[in-house]
Amino acid sequence: MSNTEQYEAPVENGGVGARVRRREDERHLHGKGRFVADYVLPDLQEVAFLRSPVAHARIVHVGKPQTYAGQVIVRADMTSAADIVADSSLPTYKSSSHPPLASEKVRFVGEPVAMCFAPTRAEAEDIAEEVALDLDELPAFANAFAARERTDVRVHDHWDNNLFLDLTADVDFAARAEGAPVVVKQKVDLARQCMVPMEGKAVLAYWDHPHSQLVVITSTQVPHMIRTVLAQCLGIDHAQVRVISPDVGGAFGYKCVLQQEELCIAWLALTYKKPFRFIEDRREHLIAGANTRQHHYELTAYADKTGRLLALDAQLLIDGGAYSAWPFTIGLETGQALGNLPGPYDFRGYRCKTQCAATNKPGFLPYRGVARTGVCFAIELTMDAIARAVGREAWEVRYDNLVRGQDMPYTNVVKKHYDSGDFQESLKRAVDRLDVSKWRGRQKQGEKDGRLVGIGFATFTEQSAHGTAVFASWGLPIVPGYDLATVRVTADGGLEVRAGIHSHGQGMETTLAQIANEVLGVPVAKIRVVHGDTALTPFSTGTYASRSIVMAGGAVAATCRELVPRIVKIGAHLLKEDESAVRFESGEVVGATGRIPLTDIAAAWYLRPERLPQGVDLAGLEATQGFKPKVDTGAFSYATHAAAVAVDTETGHIEILDYVIVEDCGRMINPMVVEGQTIGGTAQGIGTALFEETLYDENAQPLTSTLADYMLPGPTELPPITIIHMETPSPYTEFGAKGVGEGGAIAPPAALFNAVNDALRPLGATVSETPLTPRRLLAAIEAASAAQSEGSELATHAVQHEEVE
């Protein structure tokens, strides 16, 4: 599946930089993981939702079947639960309430209107079928353009139009653009997508009578934030809510917000004081979870005669769906798009207008890469268009425009602070590894089967672990601060590491243990990492935005260091030496007379306190510390993706012949985990580029409600991937590490489309709308052929006219 330069075999133990085998894999490979669906509780009631069959309508009446009236809940029954309100202080942002069950109106197909419960899901679904739903249908908005233009029909009646918000930026644009000799226009469209994790939404809640506590077991990335908002919406103290997130079968951003269903199930458990559960099925996910990626760009680039970008003008329209999600709001996607569109490039004139329209689709959620897949797609296709306009190799124009390594740290046109790295070097290595001259030779020679080959590149930045000031500027209801970790030395010299973040596939149980090993020298096998339970872990806003290894990893390192002086004091006393004469290394206190392992020091604290010195630190061998990067902009990973493709102009089929990634996430905690994240993200990016699209008809009815309609890439569609690592440490983080969770998914659409456009150059065709299906590819070829024919006819007519005169 992949090749890596200087590959090393995995090991069982090691600190920062070691290829330690993922500890969590064993239980999953043996079927011993524990997910929400695996819990068995007495008297558990399963929940099915009655969902709206239309996209926009007023609710006239919801009729409960008389036989099962007590097992059907509508919004009017939930008077003790507040609506979900995701407000933002961004200018022009419009507030809206998101009811746990539809109230007064339904705003998208699949919106929950009633919930029904029974001992089994099948019985609950049977009850839902008997609920009578009387709706007065309204005109529906199936696209953002129609929603933006009309004000007579509104998704939210109290608004004056259908715009969630409208953001603008203008940095020295007019002066930089004036007189530019090269002006290039580019339109780009990204289709709406689903995240499609292996495990969809899943939540179980019950009332813990001995502790007078609501326990919510949910598949989430952000357990502490879910606890906070559930307490707020249910009107109870935070101490009365415990959130447990067990094994999570993928998330990708889908599970970093409060879901309607989480609030509904928690309310049921709080109200009836018994357990309830909801497990999303695949059709529900494809209909109600179709909520990401849909962007439309109109770009105008101003460049000099060599292709050096001088200024960029952009207009962006995002299809935000019906609701803004808590806590990130739709402002996150819109703000990230505006702020990240300049990418890794060095130019100083920028104007951008970014709008987000409310439509009758599920509310937009952050998805792996949050806006950056779209902005990378837009700016990278524009870079290739500039190269075509000036008649140069696309990679050469890209190279000339990238921020140079010697200019790092670098603050770009919108004040993104790039902490370290060499963008040009990553591109150069990708060019060399792909071997551009080889592919140019093949293009000249031609393929025996008649297919056209092409190559494409895309370079991007991935902002990771951005902090308080950045999130505060987006006006979110919750703003991340310091992440905390608790580390405890156990009586046998092992470690317990407790972190508030939560893993949903990133291997945090392994990498956090490696960081603790690096500082305290305890073997990875003797380190237990605890996360995903608000009762057992310190507060964290959770896992998102490629932040966990920087934030939680930094907190673990800081906490382990906090323990070292305490360990040294006890060890020196046991060695009968002065503290200043000993040192701590590799899990032992070492002095002139010998060395004493952490196991003996722990035994003295826990089991033989008569051996402790006077004045021992009463905090013991347990500590909690916080961490955030030295600057609030976080750390910027980056990469270049390079692709070679073959295009069949008769069938529209695209084959990926070679794929190269040169990535730099600073110091790698575990290279094997980095590669896994990169490959997994790239697979999703290929899905965005070539396969995945949620389609709607003119009434906003979803047309892709099964996996027979919604296409996903499988093993046969994924190429071998070569990964080349660069390591430029960040000066702002522990060990110089940077996040890498989202990067793989950002660049593939841009790299692949650029490769296809390179292949199509002899035909004069270009493509710029995802996914690049055979139908779209053949349509582009046909349109180019028609335009050329029309041009030839006009030219011929002009010549004939001249001869007559």
Side-chain angles (χ1 to χ4, degrees):
M1 181 64 195
S2 69
N3 301 308
T4 57
E5 303 294 314
Q6 299 175 336
Y7 179 80
E8 297 176 11
V11 297
E12 302 301 331
N13 191 48
V16 170
R19 290 178 170 271
V20 176
R21 295 180 190 274
R22 287 179 21 130
R23 301 176 63 193
E24 42 273 89
D25 288 349
E26 182 178 0
R27 71 173 181 272
H28 292 309
L29 290 171
H30 288 88
K32 294 178 181 178
R34 196 178 195 195
F35 300 85
V36 175
D38 294 321
Y39 283 77
V40 178
L41 277 72
D43 199 23
L44 176 63
Q45 300 290 295
E46 302 284 359
V47 175
F49 287 91
L50 173 67
R51 298 180 180 272
S52 173
V54 300
H56 198 196
R58 299 199 184 279
I59 300 174
V60 178
H61 178 68
V62 182
K64 300 180 182 180
Q66 187 172 358
T67 307
Y68 303 109
Q71 295 170 259
V72 179
I73 304 297
V74 298
R75 180 65 182 105
D77 299 318
M78 300 177 66
T79 55
S80 58
D83 286 354
I84 305 166
V85 179
D87 275 345
S88 169
S89 61
L90 283 171
T92 75
Y93 180 88
K94 294 190 183 71
S95 179
S96 62
S97 293
H98 189 181
L101 295 172
S103 175
E104 298 182 359
K105 285 176 70 173
V106 293
R107 293 181 172 88
F108 65 90
V109 174
E111 181 171 8
V113 178
M115 55 180 167
C116 309
F117 57 86
T120 68
R121 171 67 179 254
E123 291 173 281
E125 289 179 351
D126 289 344
I127 295 171
E129 288 185 0
E130 295 191 36
V131 177
L133 184 57
D134 187 2
L135 301 174
D136 183 9
E137 198 163 354
L138 298 167
F141 295 114
N143 70 75
F145 293 96
R148 182 176 64 178
E149 297 305 316
R150 289 187 64 175
T151 58
D152 57 324
V153 178
R154 297 184 295 277
V155 176
H156 297 282
D157 294 341
H158 65 286
W159 294 2
D160 58 356
N161 57 27
N162 287 304
L163 288 180
F164 273 110
L165 77 165
D166 187 330
L167 300 178
T168 59
D170 192 328
V171 183
D172 202 21
F173 170 76
R176 300 283 179 170
E178 185 177 3
V182 177
V183 179
V184 171
K185 295 184 180 294
Q186 177 76 52
K187 288 187 178 181
V188 167
D189 285 280
L190 281 86
R192 201 170 193 83
Q193 284 184 244
C194 292
M195 283 79 155
V196 202
M198 292 182 70
E199 177 198 37
K201 298 177 187 176
V203 55
L204 183 156
Y206 66 92
W207 183 255
D208 182 352
H209 289 276
H211 296 94
S212 295
Q213 195 174 47
L214 174 66
V215 179
V216 181
I217 304 170
T218 182
S219 183
T220 184
Q221 303 167 229
V222 290
H224 286 274
M225 285 208 294
I226 296 302
R227 179 196 192 196
T228 297
V229 71
L230 286 178
Q232 292 174 354
C233 288
L234 297 174
I236 59 179
D237 293 340
H238 286 214
Q240 287 184 280
V241 183
R242 177 185 181 186
V243 171
I244 301 170
S245 186
D247 286 323
V248 174
F252 313 121
Y254 188 54
K255 301 173 184 176
C256 70
V257 302
L258 176 65
Q259 310 280 1
Q260 288 174 278
E261 294 87 350
E262 287 174 316
L263 179 54
C264 287
I265 301 304
W267 179 87
L268 282 172
L270 180 64
T271 302
Y272 291 95
K273 300 295 190 291
K274 60 182 181 181
F276 294 85
R277 175 167 56 192
F278 166 70
I279 305 292
E280 180 183 66
D281 67 29
R282 190 56 63 188
R283 189 167 188 270
E284 285 178 302
H285 176 74
L286 291 172
I287 293 173
N291 46 21
T292 193
R293 289 282 193 258
Q294 195 162 13
H295 292 196
H296 170 78
Y297 295 83
E298 295 184 16
L299 305 178
T300 305
Y302 298 82
D304 67 17
K305 292 181 180 180
T306 69
R308 191 78 163 82
L309 183 61
L310 305 173
L312 180 67
D313 188 19
Q315 295 188 43
L316 166 60
L317 180 61
I318 295 173
D319 188 326
Y323 295 106
S324 192
W326 189 98
F328 296 109
T329 81
I330 192 61
L332 177 70
E333 187 80 13
T334 313
Q336 282 273 56
L338 182 145
N340 283 287
L341 182 57
Y345 296 108
D346 177 19
F347 64 95
R348 288 294 157 183
Y350 182 53
R351 184 171 66 190
C352 184
K353 182 179 180 63
T354 308
Q355 294 179 311
C356 179
T359 61
N360 294 113
K361 299 173 184 174
F364 205 107
L365 298 185
Y367 177 35
R368 196 174 195 171
V370 183
R372 283 159 290 183
T373 298
V375 299
C376 175
F377 188 56
I379 191 69
E380 292 301 294
L381 264 63
T382 301
M383 277 294 162
D384 271 40
I386 292 171
R388 289 193 293 272
V390 300
R392 295 181 65 198
E393 276 276 6
W395 75 264
E396 292 177 344
V397 170
R398 185 170 279 103
Y399 184 92
D400 289 348
N401 279 286
L402 289 169
V403 174
R404 300 180 307 169
Q406 59 263 40
D407 293 334
M408 292 291 185
Y410 174 90
T411 301
N412 79 349
V413 67
V414 287
K415 301 193 184 307
K416 296 288 184 185
H417 182 70
Y418 299 148
D419 51 323
S420 63
D422 192 333
F423 303 158
Q424 290 181 323
E425 179 64 19
S426 76
L427 174 60
K428 184 177 182 298
R429 293 191 190 188
V431 168
D432 291 344
R433 179 60 182 80
L434 190 70
D435 195 348
V436 170
S437 59
K438 176 188 75 174
W439 291 105
R440 292 299 180 223
R442 282 184 63 168
Q443 284 179 323
K444 290 180 181 178
Q445 182 179 351
E447 300 295 296
K448 293 180 180 179
D449 58 9
R451 294 188 299 172
L452 302 178
V453 297
I455 57 174
F457 298 88
T459 303
F460 67 92
T461 62
E462 176 186 3
Q463 188 176 8
S464 68
H466 31 309
T468 302
V470 174
F471 279 96
S473 70
W474 292 327
L476 306 184
I478 284 187
V479 174
Y482 289 90
D483 251 54
L484 301 174
T486 298
V487 177
R488 175 190 297 159
V489 180
T490 59
D492 61 353
L495 289 181
E496 287 182 357
V497 174
R498 300 175 184 269
I501 53 89
H502 189 44
S503 179
H504 46 277
Q506 299 94 326
M508 302 301 294
E509 293 173 38
T510 303
T511 50
L512 293 183
Q514 287 181 252
I515 289 172
N517 167 275
E518 180 76 13
V519 178
L520 292 179
V522 177
V524 168
K526 293 193 67 175
I527 302 173
R528 179 171 177 260
V529 174
V530 179
H531 53 29
D533 188 337
T534 61
L536 302 176
T537 60
F539 184 84
S540 166
T541 55
T543 299
Y544 54 90
S546 300
R547 71 189 300 273
S548 293
I549 201 61
V550 174
M551 301 296 289
V556 168
T559 308
C560 288
R561 292 194 186 102
E562 175 76 9
L563 291 173
V564 170
R566 306 181 200 175
I567 293 168
V568 166
K569 186 176 185 69
I570 298 172
H573 179 74
L574 295 176
L575 287 171
K576 296 181 171 48
E577 296 191 41
D578 190 84
E579 283 182 59
S580 62
V582 301
R583 66 187 185 277
F584 182 79
E585 64 178 35
S586 302
E588 296 179 317
V589 174
V590 181
T593 60
R595 59 181 62 217
I596 188 162
L598 185 57
T599 52
D600 291 354
I601 294 167
W605 172 261
Y606 289 105
L607 308 176
R608 298 294 302 275
E610 75 277 8
R611 301 180 63 192
L612 295 174
Q614 292 295 320
V616 69
D617 193 326
L618 298 183
L621 300 182
E622 180 174 344
T624 299
Q625 286 288 306
F627 176 83
K628 67 176 180 178
K630 295 175 185 176
V631 298
D632 251 357
T633 51
F636 279 83
S637 298
Y638 61 94
T640 295
H641 287 216
V645 302
V647 179
D648 189 325
T649 59
E650 297 296 325
T651 66
H653 179 260
I654 298 166
E655 182 185 359
I656 305 173
L657 301 175
D658 197 5
Y659 204 95
V660 176
I661 300 171
V662 181
E663 65 80 29
D664 185 347
C665 62
R667 181 82 185 278
M668 292 183 286
I669 305 302
N670 186 325
M672 191 165 57
V673 169
V674 170
E675 289 152 14
Q677 288 290 293
T678 301
I679 292 168
T682 301
Q684 288 181 302
I686 290 171
T688 296
L690 303 180
F691 299 99
E692 298 183 48
E693 180 176 21
T694 300
L695 294 168
Y696 293 85
D697 69 11
E698 65 275 9
N699 298 311
Q701 283 284 340
L703 303 177
T704 44
S705 62
T706 73
L707 290 178
D709 311 304
Y710 187 89
M711 297 290 102
L712 291 167
T716 57
E717 285 75 44
L718 300 181
I721 298 172
T722 297
I723 300 175
I724 300 171
H725 296 298
M726 295 172 58
E727 285 190 285
T728 311
S730 171
Y732 306 134
T733 70
E734 288 283 359
F735 310 112
K738 306 176 185 181
V740 73
E742 300 169 279
I746 293 172
L752 290 170
F753 270 68
N754 281 337
V756 170
N757 284 333
D758 183 57
L760 296 179
R761 285 188 71 175
L763 305 181
T766 58
V767 287
S768 61
E769 181 181 0
T770 70
L772 187 46
T773 60
R775 176 179 57 83
R776 284 198 175 105
L777 179 59
L778 295 176
I781 293 172
E782 184 178 347
S785 176
Q788 289 176 351
S789 297
E790 183 179 348
S792 298
E793 290 175 4
L794 289 173
T796 301
H797 177 74
V799 170
Q800 291 173 342
H801 183 71
E802 183 178 335
E803 289 175 349
V804 170
E805 289 189 57

